[in-house]
Amino acid sequence: MCTAAVARNHLSEVVWVQTGRLAFFDILCGEAAACCLALEAAKRNGCKFIIVESDSKKEVDNITPDVGVVKIMDGTDD
């Protein structure tokens, strides 16, 4: 199956798009795989703060149970 992640800036302009072919057979697994793809791509692209949006509230809540905002930690934070 194919999955995609789209990153937008504060002006809603597309900054980058990441796609991938992943092996999943369950819709919730697919949503989780897409979230993981987005987080990995965000880290690779140097994003320090992201807002995760998805049509699966369950997956977003599992990733960000308290606030809906994730800070990516890479050991080089100021």
Side-chain angles (χ1 to χ4, degrees):
M1 309 282 288
C2 293
T3 187
V6 178
R8 296 180 180 272
N9 64 15
H10 64 288
L11 300 173
S12 294
E13 300 166 332
V14 174
V15 179
W16 52 261
V17 176
Q18 177 72 45
T19 61
R21 289 185 59 102
L22 304 171
F24 57 87
F25 301 100
D26 178 89
I27 190 80
L28 290 177
C29 290
E31 291 287 343
C35 285
C36 288
L37 177 72
L39 294 172
E40 290 166 1
K43 186 171 184 177
R44 247 190 337 272
N45 284 292
C47 300
K48 293 199 180 221
F49 293 91
I50 64 168
I51 298 172
V52 176
E53 294 182 343
S54 171
D55 59 354
S56 175
K57 183 175 181 335
K58 182 176 183 177
E59 293 306 322
V60 174
D61 287 347
N62 285 332
I63 294 170
T64 59
D66 297 324
V67 294
V69 178
V70 177
K71 181 176 182 185
I72 298 175
M73 305 297 285
D74 64 357
T76 61
D77 292 29
D78 300 332

